[in-house]
């Protein structure tokens, strides 16, 4: 089983997670930029973070035979903080980087005017740079937030088929698919979706334009949930080809719109910025 996790926050994970993911079949991933868990206090902290997603994390992933890509953006939660909004002006110099395969995560958290502005501005940046967009649908009042998001997408210069609406569930999947966008589902141990609910949705909606991710972060989460969805699909009677479409071909097709996917996982460089990841080695 080959797996492309299209949304996972590896900055928050350990090297043991990388090894376990490789053993489970993960060969490629996309790491979206997101909230750190506490407020950032200046744009400079974003820039160091972006640089790590462009350099350090790909180096770390390559040690375990996994191709690492990222999406960059001002996230919805921090779009409300005036200390952070200058990031919007700096994003263009990052969006030209080779391993950036989308603008994201963008979208809504509390559906404020500041979030409206950041979402529209970053959809335009995606259109201007020929990139797709990864959109975070809000955790609260999810259906209202999804419909508001779809309206903004349809008003933008970015085609719906270049937009992935993520963190969906049973109440939002039909609206998302009807919009022409791609539908993303985060599989978690306790919250959002689980693998059995995901299989039930796939029975109803099929496997076209649907992506499944672990979204594993600094909270309770599981970086092997993609594999568990694949196993649950097979146990429910889906074919190997169905699993390959959902867990590999669909994310490749969506992020491939960027023209920047590099799925070769040949050996890593020996050092990144002088760091070999070894402890005490030469």
């Amino acid at each position: 089983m080959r797996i492309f996790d299209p949304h996972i926050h590896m900055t928050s994970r350990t090297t043991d997670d990388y090894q376990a993911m490789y053993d489970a079949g993960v060969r490629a991933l996309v790491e979206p930029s997101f909230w750190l868990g506490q407020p950032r206090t200046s744009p400079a902290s974003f820039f160091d973070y972006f640089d790590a997603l462009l350099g350090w994390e790909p180096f770390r992933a390559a040690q375990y035979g996994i191709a690492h890509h990222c999406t960059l953006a001002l996230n919805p939660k921090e779009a409300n903080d005036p200390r952070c909004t200058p990031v919007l002006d700096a994003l263009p110099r990052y969006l030209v980087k080779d391993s950036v395969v989308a603008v994201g995560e963008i979208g809504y958290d509390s559906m404020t005017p500041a979030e409206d502005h950041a979402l529209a501005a970053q959809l335009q940046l995606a259109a201007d740079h020929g990139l797709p967009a990864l959109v975070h649908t809000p955790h609260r009042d999810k259906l209202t937030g999804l419909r508001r998001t779809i309206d903004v997408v349809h008003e933008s210069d970015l085609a719906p088929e270049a937009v992935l609406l993520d963190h969906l569930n049973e109440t939002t999947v039909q609206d998302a698919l009807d919009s022409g966008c791609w539908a993303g589902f985060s599989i978690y141990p306790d919250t959002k979706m689980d693998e059995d609910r995901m299989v039930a949705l796939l029975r109803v909606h099929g496997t076209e334009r649907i992506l499944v991710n672990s979204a594993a972060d600094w909270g309770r989460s599981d970086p092997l949930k993609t594999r568990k969805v694949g196993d649950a699909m097979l146990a429910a009677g889906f074919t190997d080809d169905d699993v390959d479409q959902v867990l590999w071909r669909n994310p490749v097709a969506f992020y491939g719109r960027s023209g920047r996917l590099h799925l070769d996982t040949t050996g890593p460089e020996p050092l990144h910025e002088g760091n070999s990841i070894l402890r005490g080695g030469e």
Side-chain angles (χ1 to χ4, degrees), residues 142 182 246:
K142 187 172 283 290
W182 291 68
V246 172

Side-chain angles (χ1 to χ4, degrees), residues 216-238:
D217 56 24
W218 30 250
R220 178 163 160 73
S221 49
D222 181 353
L224 304 184
K225 279 295 189 181
T226 48
R227 175 60 191 241
K228 291 172 183 177
V229 168
D231 289 340
M233 288 177 67
L234 293 174
F238 285 90

Side-chain angles (χ1 to χ4, degrees), residues 34-39 46 74-81 84 105-110 112 114-115 136 140 218:
F34 80 134
W35 184 48
L36 289 181
Q38 67 179 29
F46 280 87
L74 174 64
N75 69 78
K77 190 174 186 68
E78 290 175 303
N80 295 295
D81 189 335
C84 299
E105 296 179 59
I106 59 177
Y108 285 115
D109 179 58
S110 300
T112 65
E115 292 171 24
H136 169 104
R140 303 174 298 279
W218 30 250

Side-chain angles (χ1 to χ4, degrees), residues 13-27:
R13 311 304 302 191
T14 68
T15 53
D16 288 348
D17 290 324
Y18 270 123
Q19 184 64 63
M21 290 163 61
Y22 182 87
D23 292 342
V26 177
R27 295 296 181 270

Side-chain angles (χ1 to χ4, degrees), residues 1-2 8 40 44 53 56 72 80 85 90 110 135 155 166 174 178 197 204-205 222 224 249 273:
M1 188 184 298
R2 58 179 182 170
I8 181 168
R40 291 180 175 91
L53 294 183
W56 172 244
L72 301 181
N80 295 295
T85 51
S110 300
V135 178
E155 292 166 1
D166 213 345
Q174 192 62 61
D178 289 347
R197 289 167 61 194
V204 174
H205 298 283
D222 181 353
L224 304 184
R249 300 198 308 271
E273 299 289 342

Side-chain angles (χ1 to χ4, degrees), residues 29-86:
L29 62 85
V30 169
E31 178 165 1
S33 57
F34 80 134
W35 184 48
L36 289 181
Q38 67 179 29
R40 291 180 175 91
T41 58
S42 76
S45 64
F46 280 87
F47 304 150
D48 286 339
Y49 175 48
F50 291 169
D51 287 343
L53 294 183
L54 291 165
W56 172 244
E57 278 305 321
F59 175 73
R60 203 163 70 107
Q63 312 298 313
Y64 298 89
I66 297 175
H68 182 288
H69 311 82
C70 67
T71 76
L72 301 181
L74 174 64
N75 69 78
K77 190 174 186 68
E78 290 175 303
N80 295 295
D81 189 335
R83 296 175 298 177
C84 299
T85 51

Side-chain angles (χ1 to χ4, degrees), residues 161-214:
E161 57 266 27
V163 175
L164 170 57
L165 300 171
D166 213 345
H167 303 313
L168 300 178
N169 60 21
E170 294 89 344
T171 68
T172 53
V173 56
Q174 192 62 61
D175 284 72
L177 290 172
D178 289 347
S179 73
C181 298
W182 291 68
F185 297 86
S186 300
I187 314 302
Y188 269 59
D190 298 321
T191 59
K192 300 185 175 73
M193 298 289 294
D194 63 29
E195 50 266 44
D196 294 326
R197 289 167 61 194
M198 189 67 236
V199 167
L201 279 181
L202 289 166
R203 285 188 183 281
V204 174
H205 298 283
T207 57
E208 297 288 334
R209 283 192 291 128
I210 287 181
L211 279 72
V212 172
N213 66 73
S214 68

